[in-house]
Amino acid sequence: MWTWRGLVTYYTVFVIDLASRRVQILGSTPFHSWPDNAITLAWLGHATVLINFYGVRILTDPAFGNRIGIWLGIGTAGPKRYIAPALQLKELPPIDVLLLSHAHMDHMDLPTLRHFAPATFTVTAKLTSDVLAGARLKQVTELPWNGRLSYRNSCGELQIEAVEVKHWGRRWPSELERGYNGYVLRREGKAILFGGDTAHTRLFCELRARGPFQAAIMPIGAYRPWIRNHCTPEQAVEMANWAGASYIVPMHHQTFRLSDEPMHEPIERLEAALEQEPERLALRRVGESYVVSG
């Protein structure tokens, strides 16, 4: 559990000197050319991944603002982006499913969520839907661990299952212990694992029976000193291996400074951890996309 000192560090210490920092802008990801007969993933920044799962478009933990943190009425106080989103909100394709792992401000960003249509199918962790009252979303379902539901559009059915990870769920200023999820997405006999936000845990061993997974979207940053709640790149690889994932899609790094490790250390350590099998690393930079094979 974080102390108040930790919360102050997380939400305010980076505001002081980053106002003048230039945000690196990368090229947009070419989602317009994505086929609906494949699984395509694009990392848009932080924990935001755009997925086309055989024609069902899914967006994880969307955060598109210049800062994430506490809304003060005139702006947001919190860490500033280092790298702009690969797509702006107005450039997104129509989103079928919003997938929210937990209520922390860098994963459940209300200024971003207010931009989506109220009817957008939204899945979130238990005891978090009250936070979404600050957005316009009307089709919100809380899923407890091992809870399941289905979404269907003209392309077919997507099965969604919430799975247990190792994290925490409070959202300042409330003291409520809220839920936090990873998710298994299943469609057309294929499966993707979204690890959400997690520390190192053998819970991923239990997921092997729910696979095989074509890809595991795994967090790799914010581990120093928050190792009790976040995993290292090497641990992310180990957990993806335990789950039986073919490819690893790294996220939760490079975008916001939430911890003490150098900004590029997580991806460098991940590349070193996968040195013997580099083909398993699906992407490295914000804006890259990957078509899953197999």
Side-chain angles (χ1 to χ4, degrees):
M1 190 62 60
W2 283 16
T3 64
W4 279 107
R5 179 182 177 185
L7 286 170
V8 169
T9 299
Y10 184 81
Y11 289 123
T12 65
V13 73
F14 303 113
V15 178
I16 299 173
D17 192 47
L18 290 178
S20 63
R21 185 180 183 89
R22 297 179 65 86
V23 176
Q24 183 180 0
I25 299 175
L26 303 177
S28 296
T29 191
F31 72 88
H32 292 290
S33 62
W34 286 3
D36 285 344
N37 61 350
I39 304 172
T40 310
L41 308 97
W43 182 37
L44 305 187
H46 199 49
T48 307
V49 179
L50 176 63
I51 306 167
N52 185 336
F53 201 159
Y54 295 129
V56 178
R57 292 185 176 89
I58 305 151
L59 192 65
T60 68
D61 290 351
F64 284 76
N66 288 330
R67 293 185 185 274
I68 47 97
I70 303 168
W71 174 251
L72 299 178
I74 58 173
T76 299
K80 181 173 177 160
R81 301 190 82 97
Y82 273 58
I83 298 177
L87 293 173
Q88 298 301 311
L89 280 163
K90 63 183 179 181
E91 298 175 313
L92 287 172
I95 300 301
D96 298 309
V97 177
L98 286 173
L99 200 63
L100 306 177
S101 61
H102 61 301
H104 288 168
M105 294 177 185
D106 56 322
H107 294 261
M108 187 178 285
D109 180 54
L110 292 180
T112 293
L113 292 170
R114 292 187 188 107
H115 286 270
F116 293 95
T120 306
F121 191 87
T122 304
V123 182
T124 188
K126 68 179 182 179
L127 301 177
T128 61
S129 58
D130 63 301
V131 177
L132 294 172
R136 301 186 303 153
L137 301 169
K138 303 300 182 184
Q139 291 198 42
V140 177
T141 301
E142 292 185 355
L143 270 190
W145 295 332
N146 302 315
R148 301 179 184 182
L149 80 166
S150 296
Y151 168 83
R152 180 178 291 275
N153 68 5
S154 60
C155 293
E157 182 183 40
L158 172 72
Q159 298 176 350
I160 305 168
E161 180 178 4
V163 297
E164 183 179 359
V165 295
K166 183 181 179 183
H167 199 53
W168 64 292
R170 288 187 185 181
R171 183 181 175 107
W172 188 87
S174 172
E175 294 293 316
L176 179 64
E177 298 290 350
R178 303 176 186 274
Y180 43 91
N181 289 344
Y183 293 98
V184 172
L185 306 175
R186 198 180 311 277
R187 176 156 159 67
E188 301 288 342
K190 305 293 186 180
I192 298 172
L193 173 61
F194 175 58
D197 214 350
T198 185
H200 190 237
T201 172
R202 293 192 68 85
L203 289 166
F204 281 76
C205 296
E206 301 172 12
L207 299 179
R208 179 173 285 270
R210 308 184 197 191
F213 296 103
Q214 273 57 53
I217 304 169
M218 298 296 294
I220 66 167
Y223 45 82
R224 189 188 303 163
W226 317 120
I227 192 63
R228 291 180 60 188
N229 298 299
H230 296 107
C231 61
T232 66
E234 296 82 3
Q235 291 169 340
V237 171
E238 184 173 44
M239 290 188 289
N241 291 345
W242 285 341
S246 297
Y247 299 97
I248 298 174
V249 180
M251 51 95 172
H252 205 277
H253 68 114
Q254 289 190 38
T255 313
F256 301 103
R257 183 179 290 282
L258 304 178
S259 52
D260 295 338
E261 74 267 8
M263 292 293 286
H264 291 283
E265 180 181 286
I267 190 62
E268 292 170 355
R269 286 177 59 170
L270 184 66
E271 289 175 330
L274 290 170
E275 185 177 9
Q276 300 303 313
E277 42 186 358
E279 70 282 354
R280 293 183 63 205
L281 182 53
L283 47 82
R284 295 166 173 79
R285 288 163 47 95
V286 170
E288 290 185 338
S289 58
Y290 188 79
V291 179
V292 179
S293 59

